[in-house]
Amino acid sequence: MLPKDTALKSGVSFLFVCLLFLFSCNNSHKEYGKNVFSYSGFLQEKELRGEVIELDTALFRYPFRIRIKGDKAIVMDLHGSEHYGHLFQYPSFRYLSSFGRRGDSPTEMLSMENFRFHNHKVWTLDANKSELTRLDFSSSGDSLLREETVTLDEDILRPLDFAIYNDTTFVIPDYSGESRFLKVNCKGKLIEKIGAIPTANEKALQEARPALAQAWRSFLDYNPHNGVLAAVTQLGEVVEVYNLKDSTHVVRIGEHDEPEFKVSDGYGIPTGIMGFSDVQVTDSAIYAVFHGTPFKEIARQSGKLPDGGKYIYVFSLKGEPMCKYVLDHYIYGIWVDEATKTIMATDVNNDQPILKFCFGSV
């Protein structure tokens, strides 16, 4: 048995080490602000094996997004040759029809950045035309018909993603660098600015806001049931969680830190890593696809590396790291069904690009 004073000193030393460990793991970045926290690990790490879904038709050049509602699934092709969107029966993935024809006529699209299900309808975003378009299902339910187009204000710089806040309001990232997000009404008019870029790069904030905003390009999702808006950076490793019901905001920064870039002719050129590529806010958690590949490695391998991320990070609704899934495929987009413990994903590297992962409780 240790002498009393030696035991006391050992206990104090142990307590100090524990406190130091907790402090190093959870201490906020003082240079960022009191609501910004670092993370370097997850409570759990699990491996998931994907099941390839066999499709009976070849449609895709770059299957980027997948979303499912009821018995319908939509897969978005970022570089579609004729159409950007494809409708399938779910869960059989029997092909039904395509929509979002590529072209420059008033009823066609120059691009599709994302799409959303809302009230049994589908909204799409065309950044090149700066338009949001609403489509409705046909009476037979096997096709989507163009119903309404909303042109965004000219002062809203090239929108690259959107989320639906409610029946009359959208949330769009602000690429001017003046704020983080914009609330836009159903007529395309700006009604509110939200937040600021949570960067420690004061020089860029003062001298290169648009380039900084480009480097901080984020993918976002909003869940109206819990009021949580999540954004994940395409570069670096930053997760932002806004609770639009109680106006709280938390930022979590991983070991790869905030987006790294250099400014060239007013544009932000990435120099760090490829970060996240998709995010979904469910009723109980936030799921995000993470890459973590350095751009130097991407350039060095020059097309030899698989395209996508092999990790799905799971965070609480307050941004706390909960689980890291390590996948046997590289993926881009996800759709999570917590009720059936299923994740559907897109794989741009294979001719059969739809995968199904089954996961347990987080």
Side-chain angles (χ1 to χ4, degrees):
M1 181 178 292
L2 290 172
K4 184 176 181 181
D5 58 341
T6 304
L8 179 61
K9 288 178 181 178
S10 298
V12 171
S13 298
F14 177 76
L15 179 60
F16 176 76
V17 170
C18 289
L19 289 173
L20 184 63
F21 174 78
L22 290 171
F23 184 81
S24 64
C25 289
N26 298 304
N27 186 34
S28 63
H29 289 252
K30 292 182 178 179
E31 68 270 29
Y32 290 96
K34 62 181 181 180
N35 65 327
V36 183
F37 302 88
S38 63
Y39 70 89
S40 59
F42 291 80
L43 295 177
Q44 301 180 60
E45 181 172 323
K46 301 178 180 180
E47 294 185 358
L48 295 182
R49 297 185 62 83
E51 172 192 347
V52 176
I53 304 298
E54 300 287 339
L55 302 180
D56 58 4
T57 181
L59 294 167
F60 302 103
R61 294 177 64 187
Y62 203 90
F64 192 60
R65 292 283 178 261
I66 180 168
R67 307 204 189 283
I68 297 167
K69 187 75 171 179
D71 64 350
K72 298 294 189 296
I74 294 177
V75 180
M76 180 191 125
D77 189 347
L78 188 65
H79 303 311
S81 55
E82 295 184 6
H83 295 87
Y84 291 109
H86 303 283
L87 179 67
F88 296 86
Q89 191 77 26
Y90 182 76
S92 68
F93 274 93
R94 177 175 61 87
Y95 170 72
L96 296 176
S97 61
S98 299
F99 65 96
R101 177 177 289 278
R102 183 172 185 163
D104 55 9
S105 78
T107 59
E108 295 175 327
M109 303 185 72
L110 294 176
S111 66
M112 187 187 292
E113 273 59 50
N114 210 340
F115 68 94
R116 306 283 182 181
F117 281 102
H118 184 68
N119 291 343
H120 307 293
K121 303 179 188 300
V122 175
W123 283 90
T124 66
L125 171 64
D126 184 337
N128 290 333
K129 284 188 173 183
S130 199
E131 290 180 347
L132 288 162
T133 298
R134 179 173 58 84
L135 302 104
D136 203 352
F137 284 93
S138 63
S139 58
S140 59
D142 59 2
S143 61
L144 284 162
L145 308 175
R146 187 185 181 98
E147 294 289 334
E148 175 190 6
T149 298
V150 176
T151 301
L152 300 174
D153 275 350
E154 291 183 0
D155 56 351
I156 298 175
L157 296 182
R158 186 176 171 80
L160 294 175
D161 203 356
F162 79 109
I164 299 175
Y165 179 64
N166 56 31
D167 291 345
T168 61
T169 310
F170 305 98
V171 178
I172 295 173
D174 180 7
Y175 287 102
S176 72
E178 294 179 3
S179 63
R180 195 69 178 101
F181 304 105
L182 307 173
K183 278 188 179 180
V184 178
N185 69 16
C186 57
K187 302 297 182 182
K189 306 297 181 183
L190 172 63
I191 56 176
E192 184 182 350
K193 295 184 177 182
I194 304 172
I197 299 173
T199 180
N201 193 338
E202 293 292 338
K203 183 178 180 181
L205 272 175
Q206 294 175 6
E207 301 176 5
R209 280 181 179 264
L212 179 68
Q214 291 167 25
W216 276 76
R217 177 189 178 177
S218 297
F219 303 107
L220 62 152
D221 191 39
Y222 176 70
N223 188 322
H225 298 147
N226 49 39
V228 171
L229 172 71
V232 294
T233 54
Q234 186 180 30
L235 310 179
E237 189 176 349
V238 182
V239 179
E240 296 173 73
V241 182
Y242 291 78
N243 189 313
L244 301 185
K245 287 187 176 181
D246 63 17
S247 300
T248 56
H249 174 214
V250 174
V251 181
R252 304 282 177 173
I253 299 182
E255 59 183 312
H256 295 286
D257 217 324
E258 69 172 89
E260 296 179 20
F261 69 102
K262 62 182 180 181
V263 179
S264 177
D265 295 326
Y267 292 93
I269 309 300
T271 58
I273 65 144
M274 180 66 80
F276 296 95
S277 63
D278 200 9
V279 61
Q280 181 179 340
V281 182
T282 66
D283 288 349
S284 62
I286 298 166
Y287 295 76
V289 179
F290 186 71
H291 297 216
T293 312
F295 282 100
K296 288 182 178 179
E297 183 70 11
I298 294 173
R300 189 176 67 84
Q301 296 280 7
S302 187
K304 297 178 182 178
L305 289 175
D307 195 1
K310 62 179 298 184
Y311 309 102
I312 296 176
Y313 288 178
V314 186
F315 301 88
S316 74
L317 296 176
K318 294 183 178 180
E320 299 154 333
M322 297 169 59
C323 186
K324 175 182 179 179
Y325 289 121
V326 181
L327 314 178
D328 63 343
H329 291 74
Y330 288 79
I331 66 171
Y332 251 91
I334 55 170
W335 175 81
V336 182
D337 184 352
E338 288 185 317
T340 61
K341 303 297 182 186
T342 300
I343 299 174
M344 306 302 299
T346 58
D347 178 356
V348 303
N349 304 286
N350 293 307
D351 292 335
Q352 294 290 350
I354 309 301
L355 298 168
K356 177 181 179 181
F357 296 92
C358 296
F359 66 99
S361 300
V362 176

